[in-house]
Amino acid sequence: MVPLASHEVRWFFEGGVHQHLPLKQWFETVTPLPRPDGLPGPEWTGRQGDQPDIYLLIPGSTDLGIKWREGELQIKGRVAALGAQLFAGRHQGVVERWIKWSYRDLPEPWRRLFVTPAGNGLIAVPVRKIRALRKLRLDWFTGTAHEVAADTPVDRGLAIELTDLECNGKAYCSLAFEAFPDDSGIHLAFTRAVGQFLDGLETELPLAGSLSYPAWLLQKV
């Protein structure tokens, strides 16, 4: 499979989405960029009874994410940590570059790693998720961005995801921006679009809450 390169920033919060109603309302209603007439709001998908994503953690390693999701092995490696960045003049987040590979139809020994990792130094952590997604198309030639339906295929875009999480019996939520592909102009397009989206958000996004999934999960185990 061809790997997916991305440019990302993510924040985590204690408590589920419904404990952060201003954040949820902003995500569902903000319209800072052009969007088609009649485009519905984001749809929440997933149920607490569904199979969780299972993360395989390597103690001390925050630059490798290994996940089993819906019968697929997904491996993400951090290519670069670009450091803290200020968005919309008040939100701070750590921007990183990642590459992801996905594999299906793996032999059974690979699947068993996510069930019985004890003894090999790895830690398996189930995470249940309910997600809402919005998507932007980023035009390379004009530098403009406009919103499209979340299921619209785009060659160059930005996914904005708000996720309700359950980990070790506790509720959390996460806001993430992920731009792709990681071409030479994506950093500027990413910074501009994220800043435009966050400009109307009153909930503070602090630097201390900006982590990757591997870094956040290692704090929870």
Side-chain angles (χ1 to χ4, degrees):
M1 174 175 284
V2 177
L4 173 66
S6 60
H7 215 76
E8 303 181 18
V9 62
R10 180 181 296 274
W11 290 269
F12 289 92
F13 305 88
E14 300 282 335
V17 166
H18 290 282
Q19 295 174 258
H20 299 273
L21 290 179
L23 176 66
K24 181 176 183 290
Q25 183 179 26
W26 163 83
F27 179 85
E28 292 176 336
T29 62
V30 66
T31 54
L33 295 165
R35 66 200 308 266
D37 292 337
L39 182 66
E43 178 182 355
W44 290 88
T45 60
R47 296 288 185 272
Q48 290 298 334
D50 289 351
Q51 287 295 314
D53 292 353
I54 302 177
Y55 287 82
L56 206 58
L57 306 180
I58 302 173
S61 175
T62 61
D63 58 0
L64 184 64
I66 307 172
K67 178 174 64 178
W68 185 266
R69 181 184 181 189
E70 298 175 349
E72 184 174 85
L73 171 64
Q74 299 178 357
I75 300 175
K76 288 184 73 171
R78 186 172 62 204
V79 177
L82 304 182
Q85 189 163 334
L86 187 67
F87 299 97
R90 61 187 180 279
H91 304 295
Q92 296 186 77
V94 176
V95 179
E96 299 176 325
R97 295 171 54 219
W98 292 81
I99 293 182
K100 182 173 76 174
W101 295 265
S102 299
Y103 305 90
R104 280 193 175 273
D105 302 320
L106 291 173
E108 188 59 30
W110 284 89
R111 301 175 188 232
R112 287 201 298 268
L113 281 175
F114 294 85
V115 179
T116 56
N120 57 20
L122 304 177
I123 305 167
V125 184
V127 180
R128 297 191 181 278
K129 301 178 180 179
I130 300 176
R131 287 174 286 223
L133 180 67
R134 298 179 68 172
K135 186 183 288 185
L136 306 179
R137 175 178 280 118
L138 305 175
D139 191 290
W140 172 266
F141 298 102
T142 65
T144 59
H146 65 273
E147 189 167 359
V148 297
D151 58 357
T152 301
V154 297
D155 294 328
R156 192 171 189 264
L158 175 69
I160 307 134
E161 182 182 88
L162 184 61
T163 308
D164 214 21
L165 303 167
E166 182 187 308
C167 177
N168 290 333
K170 296 183 179 180
Y172 306 92
C173 60
S174 172
L175 174 67
F177 294 83
E178 180 178 345
F180 55 91
D182 191 27
D183 58 43
S184 60
I186 203 68
H187 183 73
L188 179 59
F190 170 87
T191 300
R192 182 186 295 119
V194 173
Q196 289 173 308
F197 233 85
L198 291 179
D199 190 45
L201 176 61
E202 295 183 2
T203 302
E204 180 186 359
L205 301 179
L207 186 61
S210 183
L211 307 105
S212 66
Y213 261 108
W216 178 73
L217 286 169
L218 282 170
Q219 293 182 355
K220 303 301 174 185
V221 297

